[in-house]
Amino acid sequence: MSCQPNDPPLRLDRSSTVPLTVQLSGGLREAMSGGLLRPGERLPSSRALAAQLGVSRTVVTEAFQQLYAEGWLDGRHGSGTYVAEHGALPSVSVPPNAPGTPAAPSDGPGAPAAEPRLSRAQARRLGMVDLRPGAPWVRSHDEAAWRRAWRHAASLPLDDDPDPRGLPRLREALAEHLRRTRGVRVGPENVLVTRGTGNGLDLLAATVLARDDRAGIEEPGYQRAHDVLASRGAEVVPCRVDHDGIVVDDLPFDLRLLYTTPAHQYPLGGRLPVPRRERLLSWARGRGALVVEDDYDAEFRYDVAPLPALYGMDPERVVLLGTLSKTLSPDLGIGWLVARPALLERVAETRCRLSDRTGVPAQAATALLLERGDLDRHLRRMRLEYARRRRTLIEHLGPHLTGDTAGLHVMLPLPAEAVARVVSETAGRGVLVEDTSRASHGEPTVHGLVLGYGAAHPADLRRACRILAEVVGREADGGQELR
Amino acid sequence: MSCQPNDPPLRLDRSSTVPLTVQLSGGLREAMSGGLLRPGERLPSSRALAAQLGVSRTVVTEAFQQLYAEGWLDGRHGSGTYVAEHGALPSVSVPPNAPGTPAAPSDGPGAPAAEPRLSRAQARRLGMVDLRPGAPWVRSHDEAAWRRAWRHAASLPLDDDPDPRGLPRLREALAEHLRRTRGVRVGPENVLVTRGTGNGLDLLAATVLARDDRAGIEEPGYQRAHDVLASRGAEVVPCRVDHDGIVVDDLPFDLRLLYTTPAHQYPLGGRLPVPRRERLLSWARGRGALVVEDDYDAEFRYDVAPLPALYGMDPERVVLLGTLSKTLSPDLGIGWLVARPALLERVAETRCRLSDRTGVPAQAATALLLERGDLDRHLRRMRLEYARRRRTLIEHLGPHLTGDTAGLHVMLPLPAEAVARVVSETAGRGVLVEDTSRASHGEPTVHGLVLGYGAAHPADLRRACRILAEVVGREADGGQELR
């Protein structure tokens, strides 16, 4: 390590309000991005550096942990700490200028906007607990059923011309599933098999939007919807939500399409009440707009039965998008778009035009999982499991949390100025959480964390909740320890 | 049947140059689209109608066959002939105003542009031989290897955050495959797993094109490339090709991107010669343009070894797209995008932004097929099989055909005025062929048929070639029989 403790990048200011850990990690980051510390270079041990700097070893350890999490450092405690190859590991969202690799694709709200960040696999390798939203728990599926489904898929003859609407048999099974679980009267003629809600929204946008058509999204909301719509040439208009969901009375009059999450608003967690649903549809009819209902995690509701899908109230005006990414696994790449048949056929034509497809074996495997009741059993099991996890969060953070008793995430409101500190401090203690500002396109109007309880092991979740409660508790007490 | 033989729609003109069969099918079509004949209505038997109209029964049979093929009629000879539900079956491309359902998605050139047409499954149900391009032969794969691959894929743990660039192991296997088969020096850092060439082109367009950027395609060429690029907001510019491929000296100076098929131009079938490749790259460097090399069927060459991919000549300027849709099956939905790492990372970011993905089990199955050499064995087997089929075409239609000894299609040039007649007459005799004008965006500059020899069984292919040779032979003799 070539820089000395008192060289500029590592000058620590004890009179500053910035915690020593944050000052130290900032200094090291500057040294690495400025080339003073080069990839592959070994850092001194935390003990040695603490002695050099005259700080407690905890300060150094936490700074190292933060830089590990951000991908600046490589290696493990005990076997030495090295400056990572640039770009070898991505950064968490703090700081924005860290080197990064892209996040993995994920599907539906509850999935953060694209910005360089630590992947879940990388977080696991670093031993961090991942409370960022967007991932389901994928380690409790029925392995025998899963293998049987794929064995079945592999036994079918290959097709040289798969139907762009999907396998007839899967469309039938999905229609049955939706009639039963989402209270809508649909047949296979209403169902197009997609790869997930993002794919469905993209196909719909490519079908119905003309260049510069105005498309509304929720604000705060799912930012990938913004990107998908903008990338098809739409002018994207953020539309205000409150804790019940989209605020109908504030909607602009000239939207061609409005993207919504009525079952469980992302990230605020509200469920759109029936009177507001009626007003929304009346607005859509009056304006000639199409309402997109992203039903991404509607299968998970832990108190009362979910409201039937909005689609059922006006199949002419609503397009329903769903996915198995949240209920089973993003691996699978299976979702659905539900619409009136004439619109569905137009979407299928778009699909041909753009050479878009859903893999046939995945469709056949999913069909069997539905037909044999495997998916239903899985959903019942996971509903219990997620309800337990949600209770864990409520036990530790209860008074602070908001959001309906549903889905895979809750929101933890915080004072605006505390959010970055909490994200950084919990990261330093091995827990990854997400700033709600990632769900805002412009200046955030809500502040806090979105906490996902899908990805972490229950034991890790409990530990992480304790850490988070501690950090947040300090903030509530005036954040003395941090200032 | 409510209309009488001498009512306007069925007035036959024996002095016309239009064959009686074509007149009759046209009249029936008009009656159906105009509502004179309604869905579900039973038509008279061919014998009765022939007697009514005073024509030979063959004329009626062939008109019925044509209308079956176009989806206007339902049922089978023997059990009655009925007017189909509108939209129940799609039309072949003649006439353009027939009711239709969308074509299935297909991948890469050799796949016709989207326009309502008979699906391959429908063609099979109607007992027709399908010589339209775009489909491989999918009934000779190694079933044991295929099942083993999916069994393996199903045995892996689920992932909650798949890498947007694809499974590392598959990227490695594809890089090895491309080094060996396409003569390019690439590693996994150059390979992003897509769902096919259409997906690759779309992601690239969404990554590098700004609104109204000009993107070139070949003319005649693969029309789905046009649609994919236009749908991302590009201004698409058709660029002239000749029998060697893209005409570099005619390229506009202001293209941001140029889509090409240098290994085997679609539909003309030329292979871009090396001097022209050099000029193309020099043009691209001079203009700051990116060249997209769609390598859709480069694995199939029956005379000499394929030219190494263009990508190898300038990895900075070329993006290579490939697919298993033509070599194995469109079922699978696996392809690749090869680019310099910095660009590849940007494409991966686009993927995240748009929630685009390739299913993980399909990737794992493909990896095993590559790793065990199953794909190589399949390619060797299919190369022999397609070479045999190609020879069948040459035996029957040899003097007329053009195109390199490669791929899954040939072109059969015809006088412009003969094409529609030949398409219609062969359809009437149970053989589906495709007009090259489908490969033109504007006014066609070449005329004839694109004949694909992937989809049809060898015995059917021989029979279809005989019919086609007969029909085309009559055209060459002045089309006496038709006039």
Side-chain angles (χ1 to χ4, degrees), chain A residues 103-104 106-107 120 161-162 195 224 227 231-232 330 352 355 357, chain B residues 103-104 106-107 120 161-162 195 224 231-232 330 352-353 355 357:
Chain A
S106 98
D107 190 54
R120 295 192 191 269
D161 195 20
R195 291 186 305 279
R224 284 200 181 141
D227 291 337
S231 190
R232 289 289 177 205
C352 296
S355 283
R357 74 182 79 204
Chain B
S106 95
D107 190 53
R120 296 192 190 272
D161 195 20
R195 292 185 306 277
R224 284 200 181 143
S231 189
R232 288 290 177 202
C352 297
R353 217 162 37 80
S355 283
R357 75 181 80 205

PDB file of all heavy atoms in Angstrom, chain A residues 103-104 106-107 120 161-162 195 224 227 231-232 330 352 355 357, chain B residues 103-104 106-107 120 161-162 195 224 231-232 330 352-353 355 357:
ATOM      1  N   ALA A 103     -26.975  -5.113 -13.059  1.00  0.00           N
ATOM      2  CA  ALA A 103     -27.812  -5.984 -12.243  1.00  0.00           C
ATOM      3  C   ALA A 103     -28.429  -7.041 -13.142  1.00  0.00           C
ATOM      4  O   ALA A 103     -28.528  -6.874 -14.349  1.00  0.00           O
ATOM      5  CB  ALA A 103     -28.918  -5.155 -11.603  1.00  0.00           C
ATOM      6  N   ALA A 104     -28.817  -8.128 -12.551  1.00  0.00           N
ATOM      7  CA  ALA A 104     -29.488  -9.174 -13.314  1.00  0.00           C
ATOM      8  C   ALA A 104     -30.894  -8.711 -13.651  1.00  0.00           C
ATOM      9  O   ALA A 104     -31.452  -7.880 -12.962  1.00  0.00           O
ATOM     10  CB  ALA A 104     -29.549 -10.437 -12.489  1.00  0.00           C
ATOM     11  N   SER A 106     -34.777  -8.712 -13.714  1.00  0.00           N
ATOM     12  CA  SER A 106     -35.756  -9.250 -12.805  1.00  0.00           C
ATOM     13  C   SER A 106     -37.078  -8.726 -13.265  1.00  0.00           C
ATOM     14  O   SER A 106     -37.164  -7.969 -14.206  1.00  0.00           O
ATOM     15  CB  SER A 106     -35.384  -8.902 -11.384  1.00  0.00           C
ATOM     16  OG  SER A 106     -36.070  -7.793 -10.942  1.00  0.00           O
ATOM     17  N   ASP A 107     -38.121  -9.134 -12.647  1.00  0.00           N
ATOM     18  CA  ASP A 107     -39.388  -9.010 -13.315  1.00  0.00           C
ATOM     19  C   ASP A 107     -40.449  -8.453 -12.418  1.00  0.00           C
ATOM     20  O   ASP A 107     -40.662  -8.919 -11.323  1.00  0.00           O
ATOM     21  CB  ASP A 107     -39.799 -10.393 -13.776  1.00  0.00           C
ATOM     22  CG  ASP A 107     -40.981 -10.295 -14.672  1.00  0.00           C
ATOM     23  OD1 ASP A 107     -40.905  -9.543 -15.646  1.00  0.00           O
ATOM     24  OD2 ASP A 107     -41.981 -10.934 -14.361  1.00  0.00           O
ATOM     25  N   ARG A 120     -27.234 -10.564  -6.576  1.00  0.00           N
ATOM     26  CA  ARG A 120     -27.569 -11.360  -5.383  1.00  0.00           C
ATOM     27  C   ARG A 120     -26.524 -12.446  -5.138  1.00  0.00           C
ATOM     28  O   ARG A 120     -26.184 -12.754  -4.001  1.00  0.00           O
ATOM     29  CB  ARG A 120     -28.958 -11.962  -5.525  1.00  0.00           C
ATOM     30  CG  ARG A 120     -30.026 -10.869  -5.569  1.00  0.00           C
ATOM     31  CD  ARG A 120     -31.433 -11.374  -5.417  1.00  0.00           C
ATOM     32  NE  ARG A 120     -32.345 -10.289  -5.734  1.00  0.00           N
ATOM     33  CZ  ARG A 120     -32.823  -9.436  -4.840  1.00  0.00           C
ATOM     34  NH1 ARG A 120     -32.485  -9.532  -3.578  1.00  0.00           N
ATOM     35  NH2 ARG A 120     -33.649  -8.475  -5.220  1.00  0.00           N
ATOM     36  N   ASP A 161     -42.532 -24.274 -35.619  1.00  0.00           N
ATOM     37  CA  ASP A 161     -43.314 -23.055 -35.832  1.00  0.00           C
ATOM     38  C   ASP A 161     -44.227 -22.826 -34.635  1.00  0.00           C
ATOM     39  O   ASP A 161     -45.443 -22.878 -34.752  1.00  0.00           O
ATOM     40  CB  ASP A 161     -44.150 -23.258 -37.110  1.00  0.00           C
ATOM     41  CG  ASP A 161     -44.719 -21.959 -37.634  1.00  0.00           C
ATOM     42  OD1 ASP A 161     -44.195 -20.891 -37.278  1.00  0.00           O
ATOM     43  OD2 ASP A 161     -45.687 -22.021 -38.402  1.00  0.00           O
ATOM     44  N   PRO A 162     -43.618 -22.547 -33.460  1.00  0.00           N
ATOM     45  CA  PRO A 162     -44.445 -22.409 -32.252  1.00  0.00           C
ATOM     46  C   PRO A 162     -45.436 -21.260 -32.372  1.00  0.00           C
ATOM     47  O   PRO A 162     -45.165 -20.253 -33.018  1.00  0.00           O
ATOM     48  CB  PRO A 162     -43.412 -22.111 -31.152  1.00  0.00           C
ATOM     49  CG  PRO A 162     -42.066 -22.302 -31.744  1.00  0.00           C
ATOM     50  CD  PRO A 162     -42.189 -22.323 -33.226  1.00  0.00           C
ATOM     51  N   ARG A 195     -42.834 -13.854 -21.292  1.00  0.00           N
ATOM     52  CA  ARG A 195     -41.710 -14.287 -20.459  1.00  0.00           C
ATOM     53  C   ARG A 195     -41.759 -13.614 -19.084  1.00  0.00           C
ATOM     54  O   ARG A 195     -40.906 -13.846 -18.246  1.00  0.00           O
ATOM     55  CB  ARG A 195     -40.389 -13.938 -21.136  1.00  0.00           C
ATOM     56  CG  ARG A 195     -40.123 -14.750 -22.394  1.00  0.00           C
ATOM     57  CD  ARG A 195     -38.753 -14.459 -22.939  1.00  0.00           C
ATOM     58  NE  ARG A 195     -38.587 -13.033 -23.147  1.00  0.00           N
ATOM     59  CZ  ARG A 195     -39.035 -12.374 -24.193  1.00  0.00           C
ATOM     60  NH1 ARG A 195     -39.664 -12.994 -25.156  1.00  0.00           N
ATOM     61  NH2 ARG A 195     -38.834 -11.080 -24.301  1.00  0.00           N
ATOM     62  N   ARG A 224     -38.612   0.150 -14.020  1.00  0.00           N
ATOM     63  CA  ARG A 224     -38.408  -0.560 -15.290  1.00  0.00           C
ATOM     64  C   ARG A 224     -39.570  -0.351 -16.244  1.00  0.00           C
ATOM     65  O   ARG A 224     -39.393  -0.386 -17.444  1.00  0.00           O
ATOM     66  CB  ARG A 224     -38.163  -2.040 -15.038  1.00  0.00           C
ATOM     67  CG  ARG A 224     -36.752  -2.213 -14.524  1.00  0.00           C
ATOM     68  CD  ARG A 224     -36.229  -3.607 -14.692  1.00  0.00           C
ATOM     69  NE  ARG A 224     -34.885  -3.622 -14.142  1.00  0.00           N
ATOM     70  CZ  ARG A 224     -34.359  -4.605 -13.444  1.00  0.00           C
ATOM     71  NH1 ARG A 224     -35.062  -5.703 -13.228  1.00  0.00           N
ATOM     72  NH2 ARG A 224     -33.135  -4.527 -12.993  1.00  0.00           N
ATOM     73  N   ASP A 227     -38.639   2.571 -18.165  1.00  0.00           N
ATOM     74  CA  ASP A 227     -37.637   2.321 -19.200  1.00  0.00           C
ATOM     75  C   ASP A 227     -38.221   1.566 -20.389  1.00  0.00           C
ATOM     76  O   ASP A 227     -37.901   1.852 -21.538  1.00  0.00           O
ATOM     77  CB  ASP A 227     -36.466   1.535 -18.601  1.00  0.00           C
ATOM     78  CG  ASP A 227     -35.671   2.387 -17.608  1.00  0.00           C
ATOM     79  OD1 ASP A 227     -35.737   3.621 -17.722  1.00  0.00           O
ATOM     80  OD2 ASP A 227     -35.005   1.817 -16.739  1.00  0.00           O
ATOM     81  N   SER A 231     -38.432   3.286 -24.023  1.00  0.00           N
ATOM     82  CA  SER A 231     -37.638   2.648 -25.053  1.00  0.00           C
ATOM     83  C   SER A 231     -38.475   2.302 -26.282  1.00  0.00           C
ATOM     84  O   SER A 231     -37.937   1.998 -27.341  1.00  0.00           O
ATOM     85  CB  SER A 231     -37.010   1.391 -24.448  1.00  0.00           C
ATOM     86  OG  SER A 231     -36.065   0.862 -25.303  1.00  0.00           O
ATOM     87  N   ARG A 232     -39.793   2.338 -26.162  1.00  0.00           N
ATOM     88  CA  ARG A 232     -40.677   2.176 -27.324  1.00  0.00           C
ATOM     89  C   ARG A 232     -41.158   3.531 -27.826  1.00  0.00           C
ATOM     90  O   ARG A 232     -42.135   3.617 -28.562  1.00  0.00           O
ATOM     91  CB  ARG A 232     -41.866   1.290 -26.983  1.00  0.00           C
ATOM     92  CG  ARG A 232     -41.519  -0.179 -26.785  1.00  0.00           C
ATOM     93  CD  ARG A 232     -41.165  -0.856 -28.099  1.00  0.00           C
ATOM     94  NE  ARG A 232     -40.769  -2.245 -27.890  1.00  0.00           N
ATOM     95  CZ  ARG A 232     -39.986  -2.920 -28.728  1.00  0.00           C
ATOM     96  NH1 ARG A 232     -39.520  -2.345 -29.824  1.00  0.00           N
ATOM     97  NH2 ARG A 232     -39.657  -4.157 -28.483  1.00  0.00           N
ATOM     98  N   PRO A 330     -37.466 -16.518 -11.216  1.00  0.00           N
ATOM     99  CA  PRO A 330     -37.164 -15.745 -12.428  1.00  0.00           C
ATOM    100  C   PRO A 330     -36.428 -16.589 -13.466  1.00  0.00           C
ATOM    101  O   PRO A 330     -36.371 -16.233 -14.631  1.00  0.00           O
ATOM    102  CB  PRO A 330     -36.288 -14.591 -11.934  1.00  0.00           C
ATOM    103  CG  PRO A 330     -36.004 -14.825 -10.504  1.00  0.00           C
ATOM    104  CD  PRO A 330     -36.760 -16.017 -10.026  1.00  0.00           C
ATOM    105  N   CYS A 352     -44.668 -11.614 -33.691  1.00  0.00           N
ATOM    106  CA  CYS A 352     -44.098 -12.180 -34.916  1.00  0.00           C
ATOM    107  C   CYS A 352     -43.186 -11.164 -35.576  1.00  0.00           C
ATOM    108  O   CYS A 352     -42.074 -11.463 -35.976  1.00  0.00           O
ATOM    109  CB  CYS A 352     -45.199 -12.514 -35.905  1.00  0.00           C
ATOM    110  SG  CYS A 352     -46.270 -13.764 -35.271  1.00  0.00           S
ATOM    111  N   SER A 355     -39.975 -10.963 -33.860  1.00  0.00           N
ATOM    112  CA  SER A 355     -39.299 -12.235 -33.560  1.00  0.00           C
ATOM    113  C   SER A 355     -39.185 -12.461 -32.062  1.00  0.00           C
ATOM    114  O   SER A 355     -38.161 -12.898 -31.571  1.00  0.00           O
ATOM    115  CB  SER A 355     -37.878 -12.256 -34.152  1.00  0.00           C
ATOM    116  OG  SER A 355     -37.924 -12.486 -35.518  1.00  0.00           O
ATOM    117  N   ARG A 357     -40.367 -14.328 -28.572  1.00  0.00           N
ATOM    118  CA  ARG A 357     -40.896 -15.666 -28.292  1.00  0.00           C
ATOM    119  C   ARG A 357     -40.749 -16.046 -26.825  1.00  0.00           C
ATOM    120  O   ARG A 357     -39.969 -15.449 -26.090  1.00  0.00           O
ATOM    121  CB  ARG A 357     -40.160 -16.697 -29.139  1.00  0.00           C
ATOM    122  CG  ARG A 357     -38.753 -16.944 -28.596  1.00  0.00           C
ATOM    123  CD  ARG A 357     -37.994 -17.934 -29.451  1.00  0.00           C
ATOM    124  NE  ARG A 357     -37.483 -17.272 -30.619  1.00  0.00           N
ATOM    125  CZ  ARG A 357     -37.182 -17.871 -31.771  1.00  0.00           C
ATOM    126  NH1 ARG A 357     -37.365 -19.148 -31.903  1.00  0.00           N
ATOM    127  NH2 ARG A 357     -36.703 -17.185 -32.768  1.00  0.00           N
TER     128      ARG A 357
ATOM    129  N   ALA B 103     -48.612 -15.202 -38.014  1.00  0.00           N
ATOM    130  CA  ALA B 103     -47.629 -16.260 -38.205  1.00  0.00           C
ATOM    131  C   ALA B 103     -46.913 -16.474 -36.879  1.00  0.00           C
ATOM    132  O   ALA B 103     -46.882 -15.611 -36.020  1.00  0.00           O
ATOM    133  CB  ALA B 103     -46.625 -15.842 -39.260  1.00  0.00           C
ATOM    134  N   ALA B 104     -46.339 -17.621 -36.718  1.00  0.00           N
ATOM    135  CA  ALA B 104     -45.561 -17.893 -35.526  1.00  0.00           C
ATOM    136  C   ALA B 104     -44.259 -17.124 -35.603  1.00  0.00           C
ATOM    137  O   ALA B 104     -43.798 -16.788 -36.680  1.00  0.00           O
ATOM    138  CB  ALA B 104     -45.271 -19.376 -35.434  1.00  0.00           C
ATOM    139  N   SER B 106     -40.436 -16.483 -35.777  1.00  0.00           N
ATOM    140  CA  SER B 106     -39.352 -17.312 -36.246  1.00  0.00           C
ATOM    141  C   SER B 106     -38.147 -16.422 -36.253  1.00  0.00           C
ATOM    142  O   SER B 106     -38.223 -15.250 -35.937  1.00  0.00           O
ATOM    143  CB  SER B 106     -39.694 -17.907 -37.579  1.00  0.00           C
ATOM    144  OG  SER B 106     -39.185 -17.155 -38.616  1.00  0.00           O
ATOM    145  N   ASP B 107     -37.033 -16.947 -36.561  1.00  0.00           N
ATOM    146  CA  ASP B 107     -35.830 -16.268 -36.164  1.00  0.00           C
ATOM    147  C   ASP B 107     -34.820 -16.186 -37.269  1.00  0.00           C
ATOM    148  O   ASP B 107     -34.491 -17.170 -37.894  1.00  0.00           O
ATOM    149  CB  ASP B 107     -35.232 -17.024 -34.996  1.00  0.00           C
ATOM    150  CG  ASP B 107     -34.119 -16.236 -34.388  1.00  0.00           C
ATOM    151  OD1 ASP B 107     -34.371 -15.082 -34.066  1.00  0.00           O
ATOM    152  OD2 ASP B 107     -33.023 -16.774 -34.296  1.00  0.00           O
ATOM    153  N   ARG B 120     -47.241 -23.301 -40.027  1.00  0.00           N
ATOM    154  CA  ARG B 120     -46.746 -24.591 -40.524  1.00  0.00           C
ATOM    155  C   ARG B 120     -47.615 -25.739 -40.023  1.00  0.00           C
ATOM    156  O   ARG B 120     -47.850 -26.713 -40.733  1.00  0.00           O
ATOM    157  CB  ARG B 120     -45.295 -24.772 -40.127  1.00  0.00           C
ATOM    158  CG  ARG B 120     -44.404 -23.723 -40.799  1.00  0.00           C
ATOM    159  CD  ARG B 120     -42.936 -24.017 -40.678  1.00  0.00           C
ATOM    160  NE  ARG B 120     -42.185 -22.850 -41.127  1.00  0.00           N
ATOM    161  CZ  ARG B 120     -41.818 -22.632 -42.383  1.00  0.00           C
ATOM    162  NH1 ARG B 120     -42.115 -23.507 -43.310  1.00  0.00           N
ATOM    163  NH2 ARG B 120     -41.148 -21.543 -42.711  1.00  0.00           N
ATOM    164  N   ASP B 161     -31.501 -14.637  -9.329  1.00  0.00           N
ATOM    165  CA  ASP B 161     -30.930 -13.432  -9.914  1.00  0.00           C
ATOM    166  C   ASP B 161     -29.998 -13.811 -11.073  1.00  0.00           C
ATOM    167  O   ASP B 161     -28.789 -13.591 -10.999  1.00  0.00           O
ATOM    168  CB  ASP B 161     -30.141 -12.699  -8.816  1.00  0.00           C
ATOM    169  CG  ASP B 161     -29.797 -11.279  -9.187  1.00  0.00           C
ATOM    170  OD1 ASP B 161     -30.454 -10.724 -10.075  1.00  0.00           O
ATOM    171  OD2 ASP B 161     -28.857 -10.738  -8.594  1.00  0.00           O
ATOM    172  N   PRO B 162     -30.573 -14.385 -12.144  1.00  0.00           N
ATOM    173  CA  PRO B 162     -29.729 -14.867 -13.238  1.00  0.00           C
ATOM    174  C   PRO B 162     -28.922 -13.734 -13.880  1.00  0.00           C
ATOM    175  O   PRO B 162     -29.379 -12.600 -13.941  1.00  0.00           O
ATOM    176  CB  PRO B 162     -30.739 -15.432 -14.244  1.00  0.00           C
ATOM    177  CG  PRO B 162     -32.072 -15.439 -13.583  1.00  0.00           C
ATOM    178  CD  PRO B 162     -32.009 -14.553 -12.399  1.00  0.00           C
ATOM    179  N   ARG B 195     -32.062 -14.840 -27.037  1.00  0.00           N
ATOM    180  CA  ARG B 195     -33.062 -15.843 -27.397  1.00  0.00           C
ATOM    181  C   ARG B 195     -33.050 -16.129 -28.888  1.00  0.00           C
ATOM    182  O   ARG B 195     -33.829 -16.944 -29.377  1.00  0.00           O
ATOM    183  CB  ARG B 195     -34.454 -15.380 -26.989  1.00  0.00           C
ATOM    184  CG  ARG B 195     -34.655 -15.312 -25.484  1.00  0.00           C
ATOM    185  CD  ARG B 195     -36.075 -14.962 -25.141  1.00  0.00           C
ATOM    186  NE  ARG B 195     -36.470 -13.748 -25.816  1.00  0.00           N
ATOM    187  CZ  ARG B 195     -36.205 -12.527 -25.388  1.00  0.00           C
ATOM    188  NH1 ARG B 195     -35.552 -12.352 -24.257  1.00  0.00           N
ATOM    189  NH2 ARG B 195     -36.584 -11.483 -26.070  1.00  0.00           N
ATOM    190  N   ARG B 224     -37.998  -8.724 -40.977  1.00  0.00           N
ATOM    191  CA  ARG B 224     -38.162  -8.565 -39.528  1.00  0.00           C
ATOM    192  C   ARG B 224     -37.091  -7.659 -38.952  1.00  0.00           C
ATOM    193  O   ARG B 224     -37.326  -6.999 -37.937  1.00  0.00           O
ATOM    194  CB  ARG B 224     -38.167  -9.914 -38.836  1.00  0.00           C
ATOM    195  CG  ARG B 224     -39.500 -10.571 -39.075  1.00  0.00           C
ATOM    196  CD  ARG B 224     -39.811 -11.642 -38.085  1.00  0.00           C
ATOM    197  NE  ARG B 224     -41.103 -12.194 -38.466  1.00  0.00           N
ATOM    198  CZ  ARG B 224     -41.442 -13.464 -38.374  1.00  0.00           C
ATOM    199  NH1 ARG B 224     -40.566 -14.331 -37.914  1.00  0.00           N
ATOM    200  NH2 ARG B 224     -42.624 -13.867 -38.735  1.00  0.00           N
ATOM    201  N   SER B 231     -39.156  -0.340 -34.786  1.00  0.00           N
ATOM    202  CA  SER B 231     -39.896  -0.366 -33.541  1.00  0.00           C
ATOM    203  C   SER B 231     -39.077   0.227 -32.385  1.00  0.00           C
ATOM    204  O   SER B 231     -39.615   0.532 -31.332  1.00  0.00           O
ATOM    205  CB  SER B 231     -40.293  -1.802 -33.251  1.00  0.00           C
ATOM    206  OG  SER B 231     -41.181  -1.873 -32.186  1.00  0.00           O
ATOM    207  N   ARG B 232     -37.765   0.390 -32.588  1.00  0.00           N
ATOM    208  CA  ARG B 232     -36.933   1.087 -31.599  1.00  0.00           C
ATOM    209  C   ARG B 232     -36.687   2.531 -32.009  1.00  0.00           C
ATOM    210  O   ARG B 232     -35.769   3.185 -31.529  1.00  0.00           O
ATOM    211  CB  ARG B 232     -35.603   0.355 -31.408  1.00  0.00           C
ATOM    212  CG  ARG B 232     -35.708  -0.964 -30.666  1.00  0.00           C
ATOM    213  CD  ARG B 232     -36.044  -0.777 -29.200  1.00  0.00           C
ATOM    214  NE  ARG B 232     -36.219  -2.055 -28.519  1.00  0.00           N
ATOM    215  CZ  ARG B 232     -36.903  -2.197 -27.389  1.00  0.00           C
ATOM    216  NH1 ARG B 232     -37.467  -1.170 -26.813  1.00  0.00           N
ATOM    217  NH2 ARG B 232     -37.036  -3.374 -26.840  1.00  0.00           N
ATOM    218  N   PRO B 330     -36.465 -23.729 -33.302  1.00  0.00           N
ATOM    219  CA  PRO B 330     -36.938 -22.448 -32.762  1.00  0.00           C
ATOM    220  C   PRO B 330     -37.583 -22.619 -31.386  1.00  0.00           C
ATOM    221  O   PRO B 330     -37.754 -21.644 -30.658  1.00  0.00           O
ATOM    222  CB  PRO B 330     -37.965 -21.964 -33.792  1.00  0.00           C
ATOM    223  CG  PRO B 330     -38.143 -23.034 -34.788  1.00  0.00           C
ATOM    224  CD  PRO B 330     -37.187 -24.147 -34.513  1.00  0.00           C
ATOM    225  N   CYS B 352     -31.204  -5.432 -18.502  1.00  0.00           N
ATOM    226  CA  CYS B 352     -31.741  -5.247 -17.158  1.00  0.00           C
ATOM    227  C   CYS B 352     -32.823  -4.189 -17.180  1.00  0.00           C
ATOM    228  O   CYS B 352     -33.898  -4.360 -16.618  1.00  0.00           O
ATOM    229  CB  CYS B 352     -30.650  -4.769 -16.215  1.00  0.00           C
ATOM    230  SG  CYS B 352     -29.358  -5.956 -16.034  1.00  0.00           S
ATOM    231  N   ARG B 353     -32.492  -3.085 -17.829  1.00  0.00           N
ATOM    232  CA  ARG B 353     -33.403  -1.959 -17.899  1.00  0.00           C
ATOM    233  C   ARG B 353     -34.755  -2.391 -18.448  1.00  0.00           C
ATOM    234  O   ARG B 353     -35.791  -1.935 -18.029  1.00  0.00           O
ATOM    235  CB  ARG B 353     -32.786  -0.899 -18.813  1.00  0.00           C
ATOM    236  CG  ARG B 353     -32.997   0.512 -18.415  1.00  0.00           C
ATOM    237  CD  ARG B 353     -31.989   1.439 -19.105  1.00  0.00           C
ATOM    238  NE  ARG B 353     -31.618   1.127 -20.460  1.00  0.00           N
ATOM    239  CZ  ARG B 353     -32.333   1.409 -21.544  1.00  0.00           C
ATOM    240  NH1 ARG B 353     -33.497   2.004 -21.447  1.00  0.00           N
ATOM    241  NH2 ARG B 353     -31.871   1.103 -22.739  1.00  0.00           N
ATOM    242  N   SER B 355     -35.951  -5.537 -18.505  1.00  0.00           N
ATOM    243  CA  SER B 355     -36.420  -6.820 -17.963  1.00  0.00           C
ATOM    244  C   SER B 355     -36.411  -7.905 -19.028  1.00  0.00           C
ATOM    245  O   SER B 355     -37.332  -8.712 -19.094  1.00  0.00           O
ATOM    246  CB  SER B 355     -37.846  -6.691 -17.405  1.00  0.00           C
ATOM    247  OG  SER B 355     -37.818  -6.058 -16.172  1.00  0.00           O
ATOM    248  N   ARG B 357     -34.777 -11.277 -20.786  1.00  0.00           N
ATOM    249  CA  ARG B 357     -34.050 -12.419 -20.245  1.00  0.00           C
ATOM    250  C   ARG B 357     -34.067 -13.620 -21.185  1.00  0.00           C
ATOM    251  O   ARG B 357     -34.886 -13.703 -22.087  1.00  0.00           O
ATOM    252  CB  ARG B 357     -34.670 -12.838 -18.924  1.00  0.00           C
ATOM    253  CG  ARG B 357     -35.987 -13.580 -19.128  1.00  0.00           C
ATOM    254  CD  ARG B 357     -36.617 -13.967 -17.825  1.00  0.00           C
ATOM    255  NE  ARG B 357     -37.296 -12.827 -17.256  1.00  0.00           N
ATOM    256  CZ  ARG B 357     -37.544 -12.657 -15.962  1.00  0.00           C
ATOM    257  NH1 ARG B 357     -37.161 -13.552 -15.095  1.00  0.00           N
ATOM    258  NH2 ARG B 357     -38.182 -11.596 -15.537  1.00  0.00           N
TER     259      ARG B 357
END
